[in-house]
Amino acid sequence: MNRSTVAAATQPQSPAGATLSALWRPALLQAFVKLDPRRLLRSPVLLVVELCAVLTTGLCLLPDPAVSAGVAVQIAVWLWFTLLFANFAEALAEGRGRARADSLKAGSQGLQARRQCADGSFETVAATALRKGDVVRVEAGQMIPGDGEVCEGIAAVNEAAITGESAPVIRESGGDRSAVTGNTLVVSDWLLIEITTDPGESTLDRMIALVEGAKRQKTPNEVALDILLIGLTMVFLLVVVTLQPFARFSGQSLPLVFLLALLVTLIPTTIAGLLSAIGIAGMDRLVRLNVVAKSGRAVEAAGDVHVLLLDKTGTITFGNRRCSALHAAPGVSDAQMAEGALLASLGDETAEGRSVVEFIRPLFSIDEPATERWQSVPFSAQTRLSGVDLDQQSYRKGAVDSLLAFIGQSRAQLAPALAEHIERIAQSGGTPLLVCRDRQLLGVIHLKDVVKPGIRERFEQLRKLGIRTVMVTGDNPLTAAAIAAEAGVDDVLAEATPQKKLARIRQEQADGRLVAMCGDGANDAPALAQADVGVAMNDGTQAAREAANMVDLDSDPTKLLDIVRIGKELLVTRGALTTFSIANDVAKYFAILPALFAAVYPSLGVLNVMNLASPQSAILSAIVFNALIIIVLIPLALRGVRVQADSAAQLLRRNVLIYGLGGLVVPFIGIKAIDIVLTALHLV
């Protein structure tokens, strides 16, 4: 593979795949392929629909004086349409990720690897021939052939083909940044990598399987829902079977075509047709988030999580202490203090030094000297000072005791106001830095671990959903409490060790709660394995990735909040459409039966509140509505029901009002409208 091909392969792909307009043709073809009864065994309700469609098609060839041939054919056609529309929904959900899967496959086709032999030499083999434990050498411009751990070397790696992020990341042997992902590009130096997965088990393979829906197993909730749907189907089958004896008791007979059509309209075909699409679309949203789930159970658990354990550094805070305030010493103006702090930080390349410059520049108009005029004094761990020498003047900033020693003072000699500022900063969990010019104190800089913008609001939304947040940090309790109060978390675990994390998770689970957490180090592995939802960072250790049931390819700890949202959306969408489907079936039952039995029991005519034209029109209208409602709900199944920051009781009330009441009302309106159209077109 040449360098230009590699560059093309590693360009970020559109995570959404192709547009719906480009997907409907292949999805329509797949809808016919999925008519294979062996494929429908996974959905017993749809298998019943296919059996009814086959029987109805056969009955069209047997004339029945009670049913016109035209109506019988229309019923058969719409029964097949019902099945095709359900298959189309599933195929469309699978197709949304197929474009991205194809690009991932294309990037790995024909990939070669230099595998190390027993004598230390290297041989060129196909990447597909690699096995767990093999060692390969990858140099600049070459693709990493599989997931692995860096044994030797350090290099910049472009992971755009997997994460969509074009900025290279550093990977090196040892530590928590040794894991590499297959199909990513080494852009500098070289790496010796031990392959950690067998063919078909890599991150790339998991992503392809997820976005295609090829190996998606049904989750426990889906299995439970399938059992419910089968139960309802059996109930309505019993109802329909008993209708014929009632009719014969009155000296009448119901056409078998009508009974088959009635069965299909009453059983929960709507949710059965959309259930698989909802699950696949939920996994697709997770993949577009660049998260690989090892099981659907983990996604469902994310939707039911009660407690979130979040690491402070990098998740709740930025990770680097930043300048948040300046306090001038007595007799020093704010402008003089700002100028001194800015000049003392110009040559400081640490994150803290840059944050001081970024904080001061928008607030004060200071003429910064040209670079050649000043000489930098870089920060060092020995002196704990940094600054510049400018025009025979020296500007320094640093830790309190270090700078006081530099100017030859003690803490007892500090002005009371300045000492009070230093004490207040320390008690709040911040870091005070003194600033001086020519050994004269100008004031103190307040550095603190800055909480990310909007994080407090996100925690508030989680709280409304009944999810409690716990900040995990190695800081002392005083510092941890200050950050926790600012971030708005519900609880804090300070001075956290692997044992403390594991004990906290077990305690929460013992109290009947589901727990989610994220981590990247080997010391996080026990807690990740214990948590119901464990999210490992892709650039972390192999131990963490193996222990977790999800892997975040972007290595962004804050994504845990989005994973919970997607899990909630998946559960809420499934619940909303199930509510709509069951209410829908109840409404169709009371809408159709009075019209159907009006000829058998004339007294039932008063219950025909929709005034449907005839029994044939009632059945055909219901069958048409039953098919079309699946098409109408496909966009909702693929997009998902948006989760609002409400409690479980409020979400249930909202679903019942919108989807329950809607499921009762919509069939009456839809069936009546279709009845009017069919009658006007003389189709019945």
Side-chain angles (χ1 to χ4, degrees), residues 557-629:
T558 60
K559 204 176 288 183
L560 186 59
L561 305 177
D562 296 313
I563 292 172
V564 171
R565 176 181 53 80
I566 288 177
K568 284 282 186 187
E569 284 182 357
L570 181 61
L571 293 178
V572 170
T573 301
R574 191 182 296 145
L577 292 186
T578 300
T579 302
F580 181 89
S581 178
I582 294 176
N584 205 24
D585 294 332
V586 172
K588 284 183 289 185
Y589 183 87
F590 288 102
I592 301 168
L593 286 185
L596 186 62
F597 276 88
V600 179
Y601 298 103
S603 58
L604 289 178
V606 296
L607 298 179
N608 185 15
V609 293
M610 292 193 298
N611 195 27
L612 299 178
S614 66
Q616 296 188 34
S617 174
I619 283 291
L620 186 55
S621 298
I623 283 292
V624 174
F625 174 84
N626 202 56
L628 294 181
I629 197 64

Side-chain angles (χ1 to χ4, degrees), residues 19 39 99 106 108 217 262 277 284 376 389 428 439 490 537 560 562 603 661:
T19 59
R39 290 175 175 255
S108 60
Q217 299 298 316
L262 182 62
D284 177 58
S376 175
D389 292 327
S428 68
R439 301 181 183 271
D490 299 304
M537 302 298 102
L560 186 59
D562 296 313
S603 58
L661 186 60

Side-chain angles (χ1 to χ4, degrees), residues 42 47 136 209 217 238 312 320 335 348 369 430 441 496 510 604:
R42 296 186 69 217
L47 185 59
V136 298
Q217 299 298 316
L238 183 63
K312 184 204 73 172
N320 295 316
D348 187 356
L441 287 177
L604 289 178

Side-chain angles (χ1 to χ4, degrees), residues 41-45 216-232 271-272 275-276 279 296-297 300 570-571 574 578:
L41 284 174
R42 296 186 69 217
S43 180
V45 177
R216 193 188 74 88
Q217 299 298 316
K218 288 191 174 183
T219 62
N221 277 348
E222 283 182 289
V223 173
L225 187 54
D226 268 342
I227 295 173
L228 172 64
L229 299 184
I230 293 172
L232 290 175
I271 185 59
L275 184 59
S276 184
R297 183 187 297 269
E300 279 197 349
L570 181 61
L571 293 178
R574 191 182 296 145
T578 300

Side-chain angles (χ1 to χ4, degrees), residues 2 17 40-41 46 65 74 228 270 276 290 304 316 343-344 356 412 420 447 453 488 491 494 620 659 684:
N2 59 40
L40 292 177
L41 284 174
L46 295 183
Q74 289 183 72
L228 172 64
T270 305
S276 184
N290 275 336
D304 280 332
I316 295 175
L343 294 176
V356 174
E420 185 179 343
L447 292 182
D491 201 355
L620 186 55
Y659 299 99
V684 290

Side-chain angles (χ1 to χ4, degrees), residues 245-585:
F246 277 112
R248 290 188 182 278
F249 180 77
S250 301
Q252 303 288 334
S253 178
L254 292 175
L256 186 55
V257 171
F258 282 7
L259 292 176
L260 291 172
L262 182 62
L263 175 62
V264 172
T265 58
L266 295 183
I267 64 177
T269 52
T270 305
I271 185 59
L274 297 173
L275 184 59
S276 184
I278 293 170
I280 294 172
M283 298 298 281
D284 177 58
R285 286 196 293 275
L286 200 67
V287 170
R288 282 187 279 153
L289 198 64
N290 275 336
V291 175
V292 176
K294 297 181 182 179
S295 71
R297 183 187 297 269
V299 185
E300 279 197 349
D304 280 332
V305 158
H306 301 97
V307 181
L308 278 180
L309 267 65
L310 302 114
D311 185 51
K312 184 204 73 172
T313 306
T315 305
I316 295 175
T317 67
F318 283 102
N320 295 316
R321 293 178 178 249
R322 297 187 174 193
C323 177
S324 63
L326 301 177
H327 303 285
V332 178
S333 67
D334 290 341
Q336 290 174 323
M337 168 57 188
E339 181 182 26
L342 177 68
L343 294 176
S345 304
L346 283 178
D348 187 356
E349 292 301 321
T350 65
E352 290 82 0
R354 290 194 299 270
S355 76
V356 174
V357 176
E358 293 169 359
F359 178 82
I360 293 173
R361 278 175 174 166
L363 301 178
F364 297 90
S365 298
I366 300 174
D367 294 330
E368 298 180 26
T371 306
E372 58 271 12
R373 289 182 54 199
W374 50 266
Q375 182 178 359
S376 175
V377 178
F379 174 83
S380 73
Q382 289 75 28
T383 64
R384 300 182 68 192
L385 298 174
S386 64
V388 298
D389 292 327
L390 170 67
D391 297 337
Q392 308 301 319
Q393 289 184 316
S394 63
Y395 294 85
R396 297 289 187 273
K397 76 172 191 307
V400 174
D401 292 332
S402 298
L403 194 125
L404 287 176
F406 174 74
I407 64 175
Q409 289 187 17
S410 65
R411 283 191 177 241
Q413 295 175 285
L414 286 172
L418 195 58
E420 185 179 343
H421 284 308
I422 293 172
E423 183 66 20
R424 188 183 305 116
I425 292 171
Q427 287 182 350
S428 68
T431 301
L433 295 181
L434 287 176
V435 179
C436 73
R437 180 185 61 209
D438 292 336
R439 301 181 183 271
Q440 176 192 358
L441 287 177
L442 298 178
V444 62
I445 298 172
H446 184 177
L447 292 182
K448 71 174 185 176
D449 209 351
V450 178
V451 173
K452 291 183 176 180
I455 200 78
R456 188 182 186 93
E457 288 73 18
R458 298 187 74 176
F459 288 155
E460 181 61 32
Q461 293 173 356
L462 291 171
R463 193 174 296 109
K464 290 181 179 179
L465 290 171
I467 299 173
R468 187 160 49 86
T469 53
V470 180
M471 185 182 79
V472 180
T473 177
D475 290 338
N476 63 71
L478 184 62
T479 302
I483 296 295
E486 185 176 354
V489 295
D490 299 304
D491 201 355
V492 61
L493 181 62
E495 297 177 341
T497 62
Q499 293 77 13
K500 279 189 175 182
K501 296 177 188 177
L502 189 59
R504 179 59 180 264
I505 292 173
R506 287 175 173 170
Q507 181 59 50
E508 296 285 356
Q509 291 172 332
D511 293 338
R513 305 183 186 96
L514 294 184
V515 182
M517 77 156 291
C518 62
D520 58 2
N523 62 344
D524 292 322
L528 287 170
Q530 182 68 36
D532 300 283
V533 181
V535 183
M537 302 298 102
N538 190 49
D539 61 3
T541 61
Q542 184 67 20
R545 293 195 298 175
E546 289 180 353
N549 50 27
M550 289 189 188
V551 178
D552 175 21
L553 300 179
D554 293 330
S555 301
D556 177 9
T558 60
K559 204 176 288 183
L560 186 59
L561 305 177
D562 296 313
I563 292 172
V564 171
R565 176 181 53 80
I566 288 177
K568 284 282 186 187
E569 284 182 357
L570 181 61
L571 293 178
V572 170
T573 301
R574 191 182 296 145
L577 292 186
T578 300
T579 302
F580 181 89
S581 178
I582 294 176
N584 205 24
D585 294 332

